[in-house]
Amino acid sequence: MPSFSAKQLSSHPTRRTILFVVYPDVKLLDLAGPLQAFNDASFDDGRPAYKTAVASIDGTEVQSDTPLAISSDRLEDWKRRHIDTLIITGGSGARAACKDKKLLNMVSKLAGKSGRVGSVCTGAFVLAACGLLDGKRAVTHWESCNRLCEHFPLVKVETDPIYIKQENVW
């Protein structure tokens, strides 16, 4: 579990907000793993380092790739709220999400106001569909790298890294 020093605590007086974007058939692990890690992170004094939230286009329960549904806020409700990091989750539903104009428009708007933007595995397809990876190095799940390259030729797809950070995009 990450911990922050007293020096870092004084430079980070408030929790940072992490917003996870989900859609139908999201890979539960792509949400649950990072969500748990951010929820467990705390400052030395025990205060949570992050405030996390989950949002979808409609703000309804979203069916994951397991029997579990995920509660979510409406993405629209985040237009005027502060977001430090926007994370797009992956899963088999990413293909349909890449064609959802309303979702792509909202992700683009929220990405433009977020300090950092990232994706987990095939969530990279949603970022690419928004044009947020154009001209940038990117990676996705190894089984999907060729498909990302084929569908989004402006993205510089790399196959070996576990993650890539370029500018504010992870």
Side-chain angles (χ1 to χ4, degrees), residues 6-101:
K7 182 178 179 184
Q8 289 171 312
L9 181 60
S10 64
S11 65
H12 298 284
T14 59
R15 296 186 296 174
R16 298 195 183 265
T17 301
I18 312 288
L19 180 63
F20 291 90
V21 176
V22 296
Y23 43 79
D25 293 320
V26 65
K27 171 79 56 195
L28 183 60
L29 181 62
D30 288 2
L31 171 64
L35 181 64
Q36 189 69 61
F38 283 113
N39 276 323
D40 286 351
S42 62
F43 293 110
D44 285 341
D45 65 359
R47 289 184 308 123
Y50 298 99
K51 177 183 176 190
T52 58
V54 178
S56 67
I57 200 64
D58 296 325
T60 58
E61 277 196 347
V62 174
Q63 187 59 51
S64 74
D65 66 338
T66 73
L68 295 177
I70 300 161
S71 297
S72 66
D73 298 335
R74 270 182 353 126
L75 278 171
E76 181 80 23
D77 295 342
W78 283 87
K79 281 184 7 183
R80 290 176 187 79
R81 295 173 70 182
H82 178 77
I83 303 169
D84 291 295
T85 304
L86 179 70
I87 299 177
I88 312 305
T89 55
S92 61
R95 286 183 185 185
C98 285
K99 297 174 185 166
D100 184 335
K101 299 291 185 201

Side-chain angles (χ1 to χ4, degrees), residues 96-111:
C98 285
K99 297 174 185 166
D100 184 335
K101 299 291 185 201
K102 189 174 177 184
L103 175 71
L104 297 178
N105 184 44
M106 257 343 278
V107 167
S108 294
K109 285 180 182 176
L110 295 178

Side-chain angles (χ1 to χ4, degrees), residues 128 131 133-137 148-157:
L133 299 181
D134 288 357
K136 290 186 171 62
R137 296 168 52 235
L148 183 63
C149 190
E150 290 167 9
H151 291 307
F152 301 99
L154 296 178
V155 178
K156 299 173 184 174
V157 179

